[in-house]
């Protein structure tokens, strides 16, 4: 998928009026995701993204403090000056395209790295992680 195709998908998913507004949302959400992902998942996701989105993702320094999915949305809202509802909408529109690009295996790895409630942001069912077996 090219960046133009990604923008068209996000524009359609989010009902944004222009490609420019879709591009702005993509860069904001990819930057926020770049502050959350580390390791091989970050590298592998950057590899499957269009170059423009990958550069935004990898330009961010990962934050060491974990955020819940709701925390991710609130942080995005605070950084972009939109309401949490708009930030949630923007997140869903962009991460739907990311989900498609990542594919099921990489997406599963990404979701294992993030807190449980991120699955909903990626449009996935939120499944509970198995509890570790007692010794």
């Amino acid at each position: 998928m090219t960046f133009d195709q990604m923008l068209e998908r996000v524009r359609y998913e989010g009902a944004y009026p222009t490609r420019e507004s879709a591009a702005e949302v993509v860069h904001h959400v990819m930057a926020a995701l770049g502050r959350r992902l580390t390791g091989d998942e970050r590298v592998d996701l950057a590899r499957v993204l269009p170059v423009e989105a990958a550069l935004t993702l990898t330009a961010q320094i990962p934050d060491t403090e974990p955020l819940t999915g709701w925390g991710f949305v609130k942080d995005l809202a605070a950084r972009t000056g939109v309401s949490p509802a708009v930030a949630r909408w923007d997140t869903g529109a962009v991460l739907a395209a990311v989900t498609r690009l990542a594919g099921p295996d990489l997406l599963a790895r990404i979701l294992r790295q993030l807190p449980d409630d991120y699955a909903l942001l990626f449009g996935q069912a939120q499944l509970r992680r198995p509890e570790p077996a007692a010794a």
Side-chain angles (χ1 to χ4, degrees):
M1 182 182 294
T2 67
F3 190 62
D4 287 337
Q5 290 169 325
M6 183 181 190
L7 291 182
E8 281 306 312
R9 178 161 299 283
V10 170
R11 183 176 175 197
Y12 175 79
E13 291 284 336
Y16 299 106
T18 64
R19 290 173 62 82
E20 292 76 21
S21 57
E24 183 178 352
V25 168
V26 166
H27 288 296
H28 288 307
V29 174
M30 293 313 299
L33 187 58
R35 290 187 290 275
R36 300 288 120 220
L37 284 181
T38 61
D40 290 341
E41 290 75 22
R42 178 183 172 101
V43 172
D44 292 345
L45 180 58
R47 194 174 294 133
V48 299
L49 291 171
V51 171
E52 298 87 342
L55 290 173
T56 301
L57 176 88
T58 58
Q60 306 305 308
I61 297 170
D63 194 344
T64 58
E65 291 296 317
L67 278 181
T68 64
W70 179 237
F72 179 92
V73 170
K74 289 191 317 188
D75 181 63
L76 181 62
R79 289 175 186 265
T80 59
V82 300
S83 71
V86 170
R88 174 59 182 97
W89 182 267
D90 293 346
T91 299
V94 174
L95 294 185
V98 170
T99 295
R100 187 164 210 180
L101 287 163
D105 294 337
L106 177 54
L107 181 60
R109 290 178 32 224
I110 289 168
L111 291 175
R112 277 194 298 273
Q113 184 183 116
L114 298 169
D116 288 341
D117 58 345
Y118 275 76
L120 295 174
L121 298 179
F122 283 88
Q124 304 296 302
Q126 183 173 332
L127 302 176
R128 295 188 58 114
R129 293 183 181 164
E131 297 294 324

